[in-house]
């Protein structure tokens, strides 16, 4: 009889437990690093952008350009293609790159083609509606000297419940004047992801 | 005291019975809705499905059905969201749950979380590829192709063919070709041909042409010669003055799982032995091609995947686990009844015997709103305007559903579009087959998605 009660109890308890679902929210700092699934995350995006831009700004192309042209170079971020196994939000990565470039103070940064259209519309609007002393004239835009392009690639090796995720981010800085590649940056990230075989 | 001893198991039994009746009723309702898709618009079926409350363990099944119904309705962005969520949940529930397995061994298999079968998991990627292509997100479609390859590698650890879909490989080839990655496309087309051969399906002309074209363009002379000899034709010359039309046609609705229920009174054991197992009917649904015309020529879509076959293969692969769990459950229930067959517990013994019969249920959950076959066509057309599906051609597939709901739906969608123009790219309003006009330009690539059950065409001009 005791055995019977135990069997029934286990059955019902397991039924009830499988139906349990609780949501818990904990606030945390935006720069805290947490890896949940092993996929590309905000920390990867921030780290890669920071390290690659730091590397780019420490290379000779910057001093060479300033020495020859006597001005700080203007850079524009072109396309960064996601060729990886994951749906990476490339826009946040590009935004990180832009932020690092602008905040370095060592290069000037021009708006991307999408942003430019909005600004041009506003300028046209100013022509009609703004007072003469506050109006900004057309044809005064700063042209970019270099374009930053890149791609994110991955190689995934999988065995049973283990995965090795290898990310390679390649960025290239191309001179707008003559298509020369003045800087090639590469950042690699490798992660071992182990998924539990069991759960409660 | 005796009353308490009787009441405790009785209450547990009633509780179990009530909960399990809920499970089987949910499965029956979902299966019934899937069959309604043959006659009702997907929006109507979706709204009914959304009203069904489901236990957390069935979340994957519901997300998959929401996703496919949204695809059928042309809401590709919402479909992407549901199917991506389903992928995440599958990753979590793939780990073996101790509590759910105890439930399966003591009560029945429906207490386990629903994890999509390998074939279904590959079809998630495939539908996502289609959704991304139809919303112009080619790079995201490529991501799904790569994810499907990782998944296939994982499935290959247990079996060569489980979860290996020719249709997925064909779509992968298409995506790679659109991105000018012909070498990768070649590998995918080769895989597609290999899987079709293994499943004893004829290699359709559309795949033959892809193999010929890619091997020729990559300069794989020996392989190209082999295909020329095998298929008796040469690679078509790429005519830049023509456009290319690709048609993805989903035919019908896949069969739903059924339950084989056997209960026998065994005199030696002095109680009933009950067994419930899932099965698919031996009779698969017929494959009906879609016919379209360009005026002077008539084309048919060709099957690249028989989903009916895939779901049966998946169930076959699960049989060992299903049988061993059923056996363990029979023993557990037998022991429980035996223990109750002591003195002064005759009533309890009868109650448990009844409970063991009533709680036995086969797990008939599946992604039951999938098409029964996936078909394709790829043709080169001179620039111009074509009515591909004039009325007499349309009759080849399911009868048109011109009901009140369809009319109401059209009005709602138009209103949405007027109020929120930004949504126009995410919700694509399908045209009825006979109203659809194709305008193709030289060098242009056009993708048509035609779910047969809706009688609608969704198009994307690339």
């Amino acid at each position: 009889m005791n055995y019977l009660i135990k069997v029934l109890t286990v059955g019902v308890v397991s039924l009830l437990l499988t139906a349990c679902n609780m949501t818990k929210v904990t606030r945390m700092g935006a720069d805290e690093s947490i890896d949940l699934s092993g996929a590309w995350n905000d920390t990867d995006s921030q780290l890669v952008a920071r390290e690659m831009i730091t590397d780019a700004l420490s290379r000779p192309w910057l001093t060479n350009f300033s020495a020859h042209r006597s001005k700080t170079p203007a850079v524009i971020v072109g396309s960064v293609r996601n060729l990886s196994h994951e749906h990476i939000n490339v826009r946040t990565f590009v935004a990180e790159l832009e932020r690092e470039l602008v905040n370095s103070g060592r290069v000037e940064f021009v708006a991307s083609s999408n942003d430019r259209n909005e600004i041009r519309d506003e300028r046209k609007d100013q022509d009609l509606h703004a007072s003469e002393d506050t109006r900004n004239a057309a044809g005064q835009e700063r042209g970019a000297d270099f374009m930053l392009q890149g791609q994110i690639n991955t190689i995934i090796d999988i065995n049973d419940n283990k995965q090795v995720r290898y990310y390679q981010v390649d960025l290239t800085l191309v001179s707008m004047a003559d298509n020369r590649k003045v800087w090639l940056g590469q950042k690699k990230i490798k992660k071992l992801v182990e998924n539990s075989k069991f759960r409660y | 005291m005796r009353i308490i001893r009787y009441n405790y198991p009785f209450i547990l039994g009633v509780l179990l019975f009530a909960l399990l009746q809920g499970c089987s009723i949910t499965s029956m309702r979902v299966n019934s809705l899937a069959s309604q898709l043959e006659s009702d618009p997907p929006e109507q079926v979706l709204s009914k499905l959304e009203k069904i409350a489901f236990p957390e363990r069935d979340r994957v099944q519901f997300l998959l059905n929401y996703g496919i119904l949204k695809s059928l309705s042309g809401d590709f962005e919402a479909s992407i969201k549901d199917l991506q969520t389903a992928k995440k949940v599958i990753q979590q529930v793939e780990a073996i749950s101790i509590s759910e397995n105890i439930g399966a061994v003591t009560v029945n298999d429906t207490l386990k979380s629903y994890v999509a079968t390998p074939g279904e998991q590959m079809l998630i990627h495939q539908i996502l590829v289609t959704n991304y292509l139809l919303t112009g997100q080619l790079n995201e479609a490529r991501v799904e192709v790569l994810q499907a390859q990782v998944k296939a590698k994982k499935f290959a650890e247990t079996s060569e063919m489980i979860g290996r879909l020719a249709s997925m490989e064909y779509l992968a080839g298409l995506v790679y070709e659109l991105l000018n990655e012909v070498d990768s496309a070649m590998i995918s087309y080769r895989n597609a041909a290999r899987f079709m051969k293994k499943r004893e399906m004829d290699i359709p002309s559309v795949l033959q042409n892809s193999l010929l074209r890619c091997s020729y363009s990559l300069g794989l002379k020996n392989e190209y010669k082999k295909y020329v000899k095998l298929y008796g034709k040469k690679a078509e010359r790429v005519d830049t003055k023509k456009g290319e039309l690709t048609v993805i046609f989903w035919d019908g609705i896949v069969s739903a799982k059924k339950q084989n229920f056997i209960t026998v009174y065994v005199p030696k054991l002095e109680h009933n032995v009950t067994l419930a197992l899932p099965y698919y009917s031996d009779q698969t649904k017929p494959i009906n091609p879609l016919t379209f015309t360009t005026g002077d020529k008539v084309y048919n879509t060709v099957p690249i995947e028989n989903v009916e076959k895939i779901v049966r293969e998946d169930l076959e692969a699960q049989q060992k686990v299903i049988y061993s769990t059923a056996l363990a459950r029979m023993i557990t229930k037998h022991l429980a009844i035996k223990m109750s067959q002591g003195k002064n517990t005759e009533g309890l013994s009868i109650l448990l015997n009844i409970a063991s019969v009533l709680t036995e249920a086969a797990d008939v959950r599946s992604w039951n709103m999938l098409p029964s076959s996936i078909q394709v066509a790829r043709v080169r057309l001179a620039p111009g305007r074509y009515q591909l599906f004039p009325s007499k051609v349309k009759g080849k597939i399911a009868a048109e559903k011109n009901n009140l709901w369809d009319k109401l739906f059209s009005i709602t969608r138009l209103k949405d579009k007027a109020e929120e123009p930004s949504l126009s790219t995410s919700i694509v309003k399908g045209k009825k087959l006979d109203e659809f006009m194709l305008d193709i330009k030289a060098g242009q690539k056009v993708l048509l998605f035609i779910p047969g059950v809706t009688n609608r065409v969704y198009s994307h001009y690339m």
Side-chain angles (χ1 to χ4, degrees):
Chain A
M1 189 64 190
N2 281 340
Y3 176 80
L4 169 69
I5 289 172
K6 277 177 195 165
V7 168
L8 286 171
T9 308
V10 166
V12 173
V13 168
S14 60
L15 246 181
L16 295 173
L17 285 175
T18 51
C20 282
N21 186 14
M22 284 166 64
T23 304
K24 189 184 168 194
V25 178
T26 312
R27 292 203 175 269
M28 53 188 292
D31 51 353
E32 275 184 71
S33 167
I34 288 190
D35 283 303
L36 293 174
S37 63
W40 177 274
N41 60 18
D42 61 321
T43 309
D44 297 316
S45 188
Q46 287 166 18
L47 278 177
V48 172
R50 196 176 306 146
E51 284 186 29
M52 293 191 82
I53 296 301
T54 306
D55 179 58
L57 296 175
S58 65
R59 299 292 175 176
W61 69 271
L62 185 58
T63 45
N64 289 347
F65 181 88
S66 301
H68 287 102
R69 306 281 288 270
S70 306
K71 62 173 184 177
T72 48
V75 178
I76 186 170
V77 177
S79 65
V80 177
R81 279 190 77 194
N82 173 25
L83 299 175
S84 76
H85 289 70
E86 289 170 28
H87 294 283
I88 293 173
N89 188 345
V90 181
R91 284 182 190 177
T92 60
F93 180 61
V94 170
E96 290 287 346
L97 291 174
E98 289 177 350
R99 193 173 65 90
E100 293 295 331
L101 275 171
V102 172
N103 291 349
S104 74
R106 301 183 64 195
V107 293
E108 285 181 5
F109 192 79
V110 295
S112 69
S113 56
N114 283 342
D115 297 339
R116 280 201 301 267
N117 288 334
E118 194 180 359
I119 296 161
R120 282 171 190 161
D121 285 346
E122 175 59 23
R123 210 177 280 133
K124 276 182 198 165
D125 192 70
Q126 281 187 2
D127 252 354
L128 283 173
H129 305 290
S131 62
E132 206 171 326
D133 54 328
T134 60
R135 192 179 296 160
N136 285 288
Q140 302 296 312
E141 290 178 12
R142 169 84 199 260
D145 301 302
F146 297 96
M147 183 181 262
L148 191 67
Q149 294 173 312
Q151 56 185 43
I152 305 169
N153 279 290
T154 48
I155 299 172
I156 303 224
D157 194 18
I158 189 164
N159 192 319
D160 200 14
N161 61 329
K162 285 183 188 170
Q163 257 190 31
V164 174
R165 290 170 172 256
Y166 172 81
Y167 298 85
Q168 185 174 309
V169 183
D170 291 290
L171 291 179
T172 310
L173 199 62
V174 184
S175 164
M176 298 290 285
D178 50 14
N179 289 344
R180 270 183 309 119
K181 290 184 176 181
V182 295
W183 171 76
L184 295 171
Q186 193 175 71
K187 173 75 185 160
K188 297 165 185 170
I189 296 174
K190 205 170 184 176
K191 296 179 183 181
L192 172 67
V193 183
E194 288 182 81
N195 293 314
S196 172
K197 278 188 175 178
F198 298 98
R199 64 192 163 93
Y200 184 70
Chain B
M1 190 62 198
R2 192 173 156 186
I3 293 166
I4 294 166
R5 282 175 67 195
Y6 269 80
N7 275 351
Y8 180 62
F10 180 75
I11 292 163
L12 285 172
V14 169
L15 191 64
L16 273 172
F17 180 65
L19 283 167
L20 293 166
Q21 283 310 299
C23 295
S24 56
I25 288 168
T26 305
S27 288
M28 279 194 297
R29 285 177 75 188
V30 176
N31 280 344
S32 153
L33 281 179
S35 61
Q36 279 178 36
L37 256 181
E38 304 263 14
S39 55
D40 294 344
E43 295 80 11
Q44 199 175 7
V45 177
L46 177 63
S47 92
K48 283 181 186 172
L49 186 70
E50 282 173 336
K51 281 177 193 152
I52 299 177
F54 59 87
E56 188 58 25
R57 60 181 175 273
D58 291 352
R59 193 164 169 227
V60 169
Q61 189 198 13
F62 275 75
L63 282 169
L64 295 181
N65 280 331
Y66 291 159
I68 200 160
L69 287 170
K70 285 173 186 172
S71 260
L72 296 174
S73 313
D75 195 352
F76 301 113
E77 291 290 356
S79 168
I80 288 169
K81 209 174 159 191
D82 284 333
L83 295 178
Q84 291 293 1
T85 310
K87 279 200 301 192
K88 280 184 193 154
V89 182
I90 289 170
Q91 207 181 348
Q92 289 161 10
V93 297
E94 262 179 338
I96 298 163
S97 162
I98 296 161
S99 60
E100 286 174 6
N101 273 283
I102 292 171
V105 168
T106 52
V107 186
N108 67 40
D109 266 342
T110 63
L111 294 187
K112 283 184 185 174
S113 282
Y114 181 76
V115 185
T117 62
E120 288 173 350
Q121 289 191 38
M122 293 304 269
L123 284 161
I124 297 175
H125 293 295
Q126 195 181 138
I127 295 171
L128 281 167
V129 168
T130 312
N131 286 344
Y132 282 124
L133 287 176
L134 287 162
T135 49
Q137 301 177 72
L138 188 53
N139 283 328
E140 301 306 308
R142 189 184 185 277
V143 170
E144 286 305 321
V145 167
L146 296 181
Q147 286 186 3
Q149 285 168 357
V150 173
K151 205 80 182 178
K153 213 170 161 184
K154 194 180 167 190
F155 293 143
E157 287 172 12
T158 48
S159 159
E160 193 199 345
M161 285 305 288
I162 287 297
R164 308 305 300 269
L165 303 189
S167 52
M168 182 64 230
E169 294 290 345
Y170 183 78
L171 268 190
L174 185 74
V175 169
Y176 284 132
E177 270 199 279
L178 288 169
L179 289 160
N180 289 322
E181 297 177 39
V182 185
D183 47 350
S184 298
M186 183 74 218
I187 297 168
S188 294
Y189 290 138
R190 274 190 205 132
N191 284 341
R194 189 160 59 90
F195 301 152
M196 292 192 86
K197 215 172 159 185
K198 284 255 179 194
R199 292 199 170 96
E200 294 167 354
M201 286 176 82
D202 292 331
I203 307 297
S205 58
V206 69
L207 182 54
Q208 292 175 6
N209 293 340
S210 300
L211 287 165
L212 284 161
R213 186 177 56 249
C214 290
S215 58
Y216 181 78
S217 110
L218 289 167
L220 303 169
K221 287 180 184 170
N222 289 339
E223 195 170 352
Y224 177 68
K225 277 181 194 167
K226 187 185 91 178
Y227 294 135
V228 170
K229 201 177 165 188
L230 200 64
Y231 304 135
K233 57 182 171 183
K234 288 184 176 176
E236 273 182 36
R237 193 172 56 87
V238 178
D239 187 350
T240 50
K241 286 177 186 165
K242 286 186 173 177
E244 189 182 62
L245 173 71
T246 304
V247 180
I248 298 174
F249 173 58
W250 288 359
D251 177 36
I253 296 295
V254 75
S255 305
K257 271 183 203 165
K258 292 176 182 174
Q259 174 177 260
N260 244 335
F261 187 86
I262 308 156
T263 182
V264 185
Y265 181 78
V266 183
K268 260 192 179 177
L269 299 177
E270 296 173 342
H271 65 81
N272 278 58
V273 172
T274 311
L275 191 64
L277 294 169
Y279 77 100
Y280 279 107
S281 151
D282 287 340
Q283 205 174 358
T284 58
K285 292 190 177 176
I287 294 173
N288 302 305
L290 172 75
T291 305
F292 60 97
T293 177
T294 52
D296 53 340
K297 275 187 178 176
V298 175
Y299 300 90
N300 281 319
T301 54
V302 285
I304 195 93
E305 199 74 74
N306 185 351
V307 183
E308 289 278 306
K309 214 169 188 177
I310 300 300
V311 294
R312 282 163 178 79
E313 272 180 24
D314 281 346
L315 182 61
E316 181 71 30
Q318 289 175 336
Q319 294 290 29
K320 273 184 194 169
V321 177
I322 293 171
Y323 286 148
S324 52
T325 313
L327 185 66
R329 193 164 55 239
M330 271 167 66
I331 294 167
T332 310
K333 285 178 178 177
H334 164 72
L335 287 174
I337 295 166
K338 274 284 155 202
M339 296 297 283
S340 71
Q341 284 173 340
K343 282 178 187 175
N344 302 324
T345 54
E346 199 178 314
L348 175 64
S349 172
I350 293 166
L351 188 70
L352 275 177
N353 199 2
I354 294 167
S356 80
V357 175
L358 293 177
T359 56
E360 187 62 26
D363 184 1
V364 292
R365 293 170 298 176
S366 66
W367 191 1
N368 50 4
M369 293 185 189
L370 283 170
S372 60
S373 72
I374 295 165
Q375 304 181 27
V376 286
R378 212 163 160 184
V379 291
R380 293 197 162 272
L381 297 173
R385 193 173 170 83
Y386 298 91
Q387 187 179 13
L388 298 174
F389 312 98
S391 302
K392 57 180 178 182
V393 176
K394 183 193 68 183
K396 292 266 182 182
I397 66 164
E400 189 180 356
K401 292 165 286 184
N402 189 14
N403 58 20
L404 183 63
W405 175 269
D406 244 3
K407 286 174 187 164
L408 284 172
F409 176 70
S410 303
I411 294 163
T412 315
R413 283 282 179 261
L414 287 171
K415 200 180 162 197
D416 284 347
K417 205 175 176 180
E419 282 172 355
E420 288 180 86
S422 60
L423 283 178
S424 61
T425 50
S426 64
I427 299 174
V428 184
K429 195 178 172 300
K431 290 254 188 216
K432 285 181 180 167
L433 282 180
D434 55 347
E435 289 172 5
F436 176 74
M437 297 299 290
L438 172 76
D439 286 296
I440 197 162
K441 292 173 190 160
Q444 192 175 38
K445 288 179 176 170
V446 182
L447 175 69
L448 299 188
F449 168 54
I450 306 171
V453 289
T454 64
N455 252 329
R456 296 178 202 167
V457 185
Y458 298 103
S459 55
H460 179 70
Y461 291 77
M462 291 180 253

